Amino acid sequence: AKDVGILAMEIYFPPTCIQQEVLEAHDGASKGKYTIGLGQDCMAFCSEVEDVISMSMTAVTSLLEKYNVDPKQIGRLEVGSETVLDKSKSIKTFLMPIFEKCGNTDIEGVDSSNACYGGTAALFNCVNWVESSSWDGRYGLVVCTDSAVYAEGPARPTGGAAAIAMLIGPNAPIAFESKLRSSHMAHVYDFYKPDLASEYPVVDGKLSQTCYLMALDACYKGFCQKFEKQEGKQFSILDTDYFVFHSPYNKLVQKSFARLLFNDFSRNASSIDEAAKEKLAPFSSLSHEESYQCRDLEKTSQQVAKPFFDTKVQPSTLIPKQVGNMYTASLYAAFASLIHNKSSTLAGQRVILFSYGSGLAATMFSLRFTEGEKPFSLSNIASVMNVSEKLKSRNEFPPEKFVELMQLMEHRYGGKDFITSKDCSLLAPGTYYLTEVDSKYRRFYAKK
Ligand code: ACO
């Protein structure tokens, strides 16, 4: 199979959200802390009738319908998620009724999990399958679905929720440059979920930021080496049109891109002109360790990177700023933002993605765009996702109602024998929602 990659995409996020400015005031944080300090505008969350399963059902059925794909044509279905509703039964199995109805039960794949990285693992599994000798000619389907919620405190504003479905096959308008992939994996306790009775993670915020940046450096270093080996020339940020980052919050994306520029400076790459060299020179003597803690370096490299950031990164920041961290879906929501903003001009261009999951697992990889043919064309993907409309038609919660909902969800997590309000008045037609969890913990859903 040639040009294996993403043929089609659909994104779903809950229509329920809270403005960061409002949450900031409610939490007693200093003005600008969430909006400028974290760089976030708004945060989506699941109400009591939604969860990662209902969101993934909505994304999958909508993708199949809107691109007119016969469910029989799916040969592999992979789910990435770090939201645990069941320690054994995969989310994938909850999606099977969509295919069973059409007589298709011959579908490989289950769930992948490692914090925010599970979606990338799922995506690679599908791409590798289509490129392999066990491929049977049908499509792969990847679903990234998560609800990111944190206990009250500084991490709470970095929540979010969404599901993304991606159809995988040959001759794709978004094709993998499979040789350009570099990973960094290690054992750390930066963010983890050891308490099985709680949906909230245990998180060392500062450590998770440093781990993210260290993983980014390691992946970029490996990526540059692979590029240089393949292309016979040095890589710099000028060799790609866009960078898309896993986005826990926008400030970290700004810091990440600046870090890549600092890497280019250290390698004496072509993206660094004389003026930039002069500004960054004072930091050349810092040790690797010191460089992560140096505020002046952070500030200066962000300043030098700013013009590049505006063209190469900014177009992918819309949905993560508006919806929040969607864990496994976060990187792909950033990618969806790029397609939404730039669909008509992407053909012929390259984009590099950075996936990070705490614990930790990280990969940097490269994709190439071509316009493609309808329904699998860039412009059609943008129009199906309909991002502006979805963002506009949301319902803003006041903070008291949001906090009350978080308390109810804490109570319900891992629970059984309850019926939800079944109130789907805020949901768009076609959205799945949770109706009941019975005395044997079995979950039931309905479609609006
Ligand atoms: N105006 C403008 N900026 C402000 C203001 C203000 N009034 N107040 C604070 N800030 C800035 C701070 O200077 C800081 O910016 P900096 O990083 O450039 O210095 C930023 O706001 C955050 O404030 P802090 O006090 O440093 O951090 P806080 O204790 O609020 O925690 C954190 C932030 C660590 C991100 C927390 O929200 C968290 O733990 N989130 C979850 C973990 C996470 O997302 N990690 C990322 C990778 S792992 C993953 O994907 C889950």
Side-chain angles (χ1 to χ4, degrees):
K2 213 173 127 280
D3 293 331
V4 177
I6 302 165
L7 292 160
M9 283 178 88
E10 174 61 310
I11 180 166
Y12 175 81
F13 44 82
T16 38
C17 64
I18 183 163
Q19 289 292 344
Q20 291 285 3
E21 203 176 4
V22 170
L23 188 60
E24 191 178 82
H26 174 266
D27 291 351
S30 60
K31 188 158 176 51
K33 179 165 182 196
Y34 300 172
T35 51
I36 298 159
L38 298 174
Q40 291 299 109
D41 295 332
C42 190
M43 178 170 75
F45 48 82
C46 287
S47 72
E48 49 103 35
V49 292
E50 292 198 87
D51 62 23
V52 289
I53 294 168
S54 66
M55 290 194 294
S56 62
M57 288 168 149
T58 304
V60 167
T61 45
S62 177
L63 180 141
L64 296 173
E65 266 169 41
K66 290 184 180 148
Y67 294 90
N68 207 4
V69 174
D70 182 346
K72 287 201 188 83
Q73 278 296 306
I74 304 297
R76 188 172 192 104
L77 173 56
E78 295 266 351
V79 177
S81 181
E82 61 161 292
T83 308
V84 180
L85 293 176
D86 192 299
K87 284 175 272 180
S88 170
K89 185 174 160 57
S90 65
I91 295 172
K92 187 269 180 87
T93 59
F94 285 91
L95 295 168
M96 281 312 297
I98 299 165
F99 303 92
E100 285 174 63
K101 255 193 337 227
C102 308
N104 183 9
T105 58
D106 177 17
I107 304 182
E108 291 183 2
V110 286
D111 294 3
S112 294
S113 87
N114 187 90
C116 309
Y117 188 82
T120 299
L123 175 61
F124 288 179
N125 284 347
C126 275
V127 170
N128 292 347
W129 175 66
V130 174
E131 288 182 344
S132 77
S133 60
S134 52
W135 184 47
D136 68 1
R138 292 185 295 164
Y139 298 121
L141 186 56
V142 180
V143 186
C144 309
T145 183
D146 268 308
S147 160
V149 285
Y150 289 92
E152 271 179 52
R156 178 153 276 185
T158 61
I164 292 201
M166 295 179 275
L167 191 71
I168 308 302
N171 310 317
I174 306 161
F176 273 71
E177 296 194 280
S178 290
K179 291 275 184 293
L180 296 178
R181 250 195 219 182
S182 168
S183 294
H184 175 72
M185 311 247 168
H187 171 45
V188 286
Y189 279 118
D190 60 331
F191 164 113
Y192 47 112
K193 293 179 175 167
D195 180 357
L196 298 173
S198 168
E199 195 174 359
Y200 300 145
V202 173
V203 56
D204 182 336
K206 292 286 169 240
L207 177 63
S208 74
Q209 292 166 332
T210 309
C211 287
Y212 181 110
L213 295 175
M214 284 176 147
L216 176 69
D217 282 351
C219 288
Y220 190 56
K221 200 168 157 214
F223 187 95
C224 291
Q225 279 166 359
K226 286 184 186 174
F227 181 93
E228 278 151 28
K229 204 165 160 201
Q230 185 178 304
E231 307 281 319
K233 61 167 190 167
Q234 194 184 32
F235 183 87
S236 85
I237 57 164
L238 301 179
D239 290 298
T240 183
D241 299 283
Y242 298 101
F243 279 100
V244 179
F245 296 90
H246 166 56
S247 312
Y249 50 94
N250 182 260
K251 176 64 90 55
L252 190 56
V253 174
Q254 296 169 34
K255 290 185 187 181
S256 297
F257 183 68
R259 192 78 207 173
L260 295 185
L261 195 104
F262 181 60
N263 272 275
D264 277 4
F265 164 75
S266 304
R267 294 180 310 119
N268 203 11
S270 59
S271 57
I272 307 294
D273 61 15
E274 283 309 314
K277 214 176 268 178
E278 210 166 286
K279 288 199 181 106
L280 291 167
F283 308 103
S284 58
S285 57
L286 288 178
S287 75
H288 196 61
E289 295 301 317
E290 285 167 343
S291 72
Y292 295 107
Q293 313 306 334
C294 179
R295 303 286 299 178
D296 284 343
L297 167 60
E298 217 173 75
K299 255 206 312 245
T300 307
S301 55
Q302 263 177 265
Q303 192 193 15
V304 175
K306 179 76 169 64
F308 296 117
F309 183 91
D310 291 345
T311 55
K312 292 182 188 290
V313 185
Q314 178 70 25
S316 65
T317 58
L318 174 70
I319 303 172
K321 278 170 78 103
Q322 282 292 329
V323 176
N325 190 358
M326 300 150 263
Y327 288 161
T328 54
S330 183
L331 173 64
Y332 301 98
F335 185 59
S337 308
L338 175 65
I339 296 175
H340 164 72
N341 280 319
K342 296 282 174 189
S343 68
S344 60
T345 60
L346 290 174
Q349 299 194 312
R350 169 185 279 150
V351 56
I352 291 173
L353 285 80
F354 175 66
S355 179
Y356 178 82
S358 291
L360 65 82
T363 301
M364 184 172 278
F365 58 103
S366 177
L367 304 173
R368 276 274 188 198
F369 294 105
T370 48
E371 177 48 36
E373 273 171 47
K374 230 182 155 189
F376 304 138
S377 62
L378 296 175
S379 47
N380 192 47
I381 295 172
S383 95
V384 163
M385 291 195 296
N386 200 10
V387 170
S388 300
E389 201 46 51
K390 283 176 185 157
L391 286 174
K392 250 197 324 226
S393 53
R394 295 193 291 174
N395 193 278
E396 288 169 21
F397 270 40
E400 297 75 21
K401 220 172 127 195
F402 167 70
V403 171
E404 199 181 297
L405 177 70
M406 288 297 113
Q407 281 160 359
L408 172 66
M409 301 293 260
E410 270 172 43
H411 174 73
R412 287 236 174 118
Y413 184 72
K416 62 173 176 175
D417 226 350
F418 64 86
I419 292 174
T420 71
S421 69
K422 301 183 190 176
D423 177 3
C424 55
S425 56
L426 297 177
L427 306 178
T431 306
Y432 283 84
Y433 59 98
L434 178 70
T435 56
E436 183 188 352
V437 178
D438 75 6
S439 61
K440 291 174 113 177
Y441 295 96
R442 292 176 301 194
R443 307 177 78 86
F444 297 91
Y445 297 87
K447 188 179 185 182
K448 180 171 172 181

